[in-house]
Amino acid sequence: MLKPSKPSSLLAALLLHPGSVVSTGYLLRALWDDDQPATARAALQSCVLRLRRIFVKYGVAGDVIEAVPGGYRMNVDTDTLDLVRFRTLVRAADGAGDAEGELYRLKEALTLWQGPLLANVPSLMLHRDEVPGLTEERLRTLERACDIELSLGRCRQVLVDLWEAARRHPGRERFAEQLIEALYRTGRQSEALAEYRAVKGRLKEELGIDPGPSLQRLELAILRGDDLGSVALDQAPQPLEIAAPVRPTAPVAVTATVPAPDDGGRPYGDWAPAADRPVPPGTRAAPAPLAFPASPAHLVPPALPVPPVPSFTGRAAERADITARLRECSPDTALVVLSGAPGIGKTALARQCAHDTQDTFPGGVFVVAMTHPDGAPLTSDEAMAHLPRPGAGASRALLVLDDVTTADQVRPLLPAVPGGAVIVTSRRGLAGLMATHGGSVHRLSTLDPAESRQLLTAALGAERVAAEPAAAGELADVCGHFPLSLRIAAARLLTRPGLSVEDCVRWLAEDPPARLSLADDPRMSVPQVFGRALHRLEPRWRDAFRRLGDQEGLLVPAHALGDSPEAEEALERLADAGLLEEGPPGPYRIHRLLKIYARRQARERNTGEAATVPH
């Protein structure tokens, strides 16, 4: 094992991207972060030479590190790198076709993880930017393996793994949910309920929120004494068909709000059970988090209220307009689209409006994440598997489609809620959907200073904000008045009670938006949210965005990228993706945080282009 050094950081940066060209700019940041010496490029070449000599010394081919235009590439395979083998095994598990085969491959993949990640690598950038993603890969795989063990009835066998996972990763409610289910199904009801109360207390104390819908449904099922798995504890378990499409699916949250029975004694209304819905071709049936007893005539999750969004503030005009539109009774489906920049608060507003109007929808509220964890969009068939069949019931329902990428995802789902309502959140304006189905569009902008202060007060407490009122205003400015940025900054202050708001502002201001990120949750990261939005674009539009980083100021004239039709189209595409605002007949505008991000992207591109001569 290499000692902690610049060569070990270089090797890690290359191995984290096996077989891919790693740009010189990325490698320089991996070695020196943003504190790069004037001789950084020469030192990088020296590190490459040192690694090649070390490889030759231990019988590894010296040319395994290949110099290519723009950077370096390291060619490895499943026999030489555990990360490649891990991902190969996980992909093989997806296509195994049976639960035992999938579980075997997942367990083999998990055995490859030994010790802490990048333990001998001193690179701050790699630990900050890469380790969270790697951790997420492992934990998602462990969750899948535990799901399969539970579905096969092996609750006792999986308890040890779940105890450790739930204690090591208290922020992941899924591990707590699996542990509680395993305890209950092994006859330890009191311990299961005690574990639930402990999780609930921690969430309330640390974050001021309640457990998620799945955990609440689980508690209710335990209190009722439901048979969660329909598996006798002293009998051999019946294998279930484990659902996983070819790629890992995004968690789909479904919250049903159903009134007292008024349909002939059926306590859960007319929604069709998931088992009766067609499964999209090429996938296996999706597993429910719980297997509820088949006593009612129609099987759906028990009724739960839609909780309010914690610390929700602002958006008064939009909120009033949306709730009024949702409450209107009409034979047509009411359609509301919330669009805007990544991190602007579209999802929070949609969920808060769903909470405000849930009493209007006796058929329930259904919230569906429309993208997979890898960013790929759900097909309409995949989304439909979590919705009532068209015409299955007469009750009005509300459907919230979160993070939609195209209008074609939405159109086939509208018949599922005739006479109800649909809220769509998307970074795009979805003008094509408006042209064919009508509705209203709310393009969200940043919060105003008063709203930002309200959010910080709700998150941090009135005393802490009042103690440093000027610093709180500066913090909102540094965060660009983006709700996501403000929540990330508030979380940092909450977890560091001794940190003053002024010191937090000073630290963030040195490198926004890069420092607006939480290490333990890749989703709470402004650079990653911006990066995912940029990655969805075609390469030519991504390059156009980076070129805006070379421009001065926040106003983007129509000729900023040239006078060609393609340059004009590029600005329109970026505006549609939420990366620019307004546009013809007036100039476009780019938000300051997005401008800083574009400038950094441009700097990395220019650095890569400058290093085109192999060394």
Side-chain angles (χ1 to χ4, degrees):
M1 177 180 287
L2 289 176
K3 296 180 180 179
S5 60
K6 289 289 188 288
S8 66
S9 294
L10 172 61
L11 179 59
L14 292 169
L15 290 176
L16 286 171
H17 304 277
S20 301
V21 176
V22 184
S23 71
T24 302
Y26 177 91
L27 294 175
L28 291 174
R29 286 195 295 115
L31 269 61
W32 289 280
D33 211 347
D34 289 333
D35 188 23
Q36 299 174 16
T39 58
R41 289 183 175 280
L44 172 62
Q45 296 170 25
S46 298
C47 284
V48 172
L49 292 175
R50 287 178 61 187
L51 276 181
R52 286 171 173 165
R53 293 192 190 104
I54 292 172
F55 290 162
V56 171
K57 178 180 177 180
Y58 289 96
V60 180
D63 60 354
V64 69
I65 301 179
E66 178 185 3
V68 296
Y72 295 88
R73 176 170 55 212
M74 191 161 187
N75 298 307
V76 292
D77 54 30
T78 57
D79 294 327
T80 55
L81 183 63
D82 284 346
L83 181 60
V84 174
R85 178 156 179 75
F86 169 80
R87 289 170 175 167
T88 301
L89 286 167
V90 171
R91 285 194 297 270
D94 286 340
D98 67 282
E100 292 287 0
E102 184 177 4
L103 181 61
Y104 177 82
R105 288 167 176 81
L106 292 177
K107 285 192 169 184
E108 184 179 357
L110 288 168
T111 61
L112 299 172
W113 294 78
Q114 301 292 332
L117 292 171
L118 306 185
N120 65 319
V121 176
S123 170
L124 295 177
M125 186 274 273
L126 293 181
H127 282 276
R128 181 185 68 234
D129 296 348
E130 299 291 351
V131 167
L134 292 170
T135 302
E136 178 66 21
E137 285 189 65
R138 176 184 174 272
L139 295 182
R140 194 163 59 232
T141 301
L142 179 58
E143 285 178 356
R144 287 174 59 193
C146 291
D147 274 335
I148 296 172
E149 296 263 39
L150 290 172
S151 72
L152 294 173
R154 299 171 185 168
C155 302
R156 297 185 190 279
Q157 295 91 320
V158 79
L159 268 175
V160 174
D161 290 337
L162 287 175
W163 275 116
E164 181 181 6
R167 295 300 180 263
R168 283 177 175 266
H169 308 283
R172 296 183 76 94
E173 287 189 35
R174 182 62 188 143
F175 284 136
E177 184 182 344
Q178 291 171 324
L179 173 60
I180 293 168
E181 181 180 347
L183 286 169
Y184 175 65
R185 289 173 60 182
T186 51
R188 298 157 72 173
Q189 182 179 14
S190 60
E191 291 181 63
L193 290 172
E195 186 69 20
Y196 174 85
R197 286 192 293 270
V199 172
K200 182 178 180 179
R202 179 179 55 78
L203 291 174
K204 202 72 175 177
E205 179 181 350
E206 296 180 5
L207 302 175
I209 60 175
D210 291 321
S214 294
L215 266 174
Q216 293 185 48
R217 286 197 294 269
L218 177 56
E219 182 206 23
L220 183 59
I222 293 173
L223 291 172
R224 294 187 315 202
D226 291 345
D227 181 4
L228 299 185
S230 300
V231 177
L233 298 178
D234 56 350
Q235 296 176 1
Q238 275 190 318
L240 299 177
E241 188 177 5
I242 299 303
V246 175
R247 57 177 176 264
T249 59
V252 179
V254 178
T255 304
T257 60
V258 187
D262 59 359
D263 54 357
R266 293 181 306 221
Y268 298 110
D270 284 328
W271 296 124
D276 291 344
R277 300 179 196 138
V279 178
T283 67
R284 284 167 279 151
L290 297 174
F292 286 93
S295 54
H298 288 74
L299 187 62
V300 297
L304 287 173
V306 180
V309 175
S311 308
F312 186 87
T313 57
R315 311 292 189 202
E318 294 94 339
R319 184 175 173 185
D321 186 77
I322 294 168
T323 54
R325 185 173 182 83
L326 295 178
R327 292 185 186 279
E328 292 176 358
C329 290
S330 168
D332 299 323
T333 300
L335 179 61
V336 177
V337 173
L338 306 181
S339 65
I344 205 70
K346 301 179 290 293
T347 299
L349 178 58
R351 289 179 175 269
Q352 186 62 40
C353 290
H355 165 77
D356 294 342
T357 60
Q358 57 188 318
D359 60 321
T360 308
F361 298 98
V365 178
F366 296 82
V367 183
V368 183
M370 295 298 288
T371 53
H372 294 278
D374 61 3
L378 262 71
T379 66
S380 54
D381 284 340
E382 288 172 327
M384 187 63 78
H386 301 277
L387 302 177
R389 293 174 300 179
S395 298
R396 295 185 75 226
L398 173 61
L399 175 58
V400 180
L401 304 178
D402 190 33
D403 200 15
V404 165
T405 59
T406 67
D408 288 337
Q409 279 184 294
V410 178
R411 291 189 182 103
L413 306 181
L414 297 180
V417 286
V422 178
I423 304 177
V424 173
T425 74
S426 178
R427 292 165 189 159
R428 305 183 61 183
L430 302 181
L433 182 63
M434 291 295 100
T436 56
H437 288 77
S440 65
V441 179
H442 295 267
R443 183 86 174 187
L444 302 187
S445 59
T446 54
L447 300 176
D448 64 36
E451 291 173 331
S452 296
R453 185 182 181 87
Q454 289 171 9
L455 194 155
L456 289 174
T457 301
L460 294 174
E463 290 185 5
R464 196 164 185 186
V465 173
E468 299 180 84
E474 293 174 8
L475 179 62
D477 289 339
V478 169
C479 292
H481 300 279
F482 266 62
L484 174 65
S485 304
L486 290 165
R487 290 183 182 277
I488 290 172
R492 179 173 291 277
L493 286 165
L494 284 171
T495 55
R496 294 167 172 80
L499 178 66
S500 71
V501 178
E502 183 179 0
D503 287 342
C504 182
V505 170
R506 189 180 302 113
W507 181 78
L508 289 175
E510 290 178 359
D511 192 12
R515 288 183 173 176
L516 287 166
S517 181
L518 300 180
D520 63 341
D521 190 343
R523 297 167 300 176
M524 298 296 287
S525 165
V526 170
Q528 292 209 31
V529 169
F530 286 175
R532 285 197 295 269
L534 192 62
H535 183 71
R536 288 183 183 177
L537 300 177
E538 295 180 25
R540 54 178 173 162
W541 311 135
R542 293 202 294 267
D543 184 64
F545 177 78
R546 296 185 182 102
R547 287 164 59 195
L548 292 179
D550 297 325
Q551 307 287 329
E552 294 296 329
L554 302 180
L555 288 179
V556 182
H559 56 79
L561 299 176
D563 296 321
S564 66
E566 182 170 333
E568 183 177 338
E569 182 184 1
L571 293 176
E572 276 294 288
R573 295 277 186 169
L574 294 176
D576 185 56
L579 300 175
L580 293 178
E581 289 296 334
E582 299 303 330
Y588 296 92
R589 295 196 304 270
I590 184 170
H591 188 274
R592 184 175 58 85
L593 288 185
L594 283 164
K595 179 70 175 193
I596 296 172
Y597 181 75
R599 188 177 298 130
R600 187 164 192 156
Q601 291 282 307
R603 186 166 62 243
E604 291 181 2
R605 179 204 61 192
N606 296 337
T607 301
E609 290 177 351
T612 55
V613 179
H615 300 287

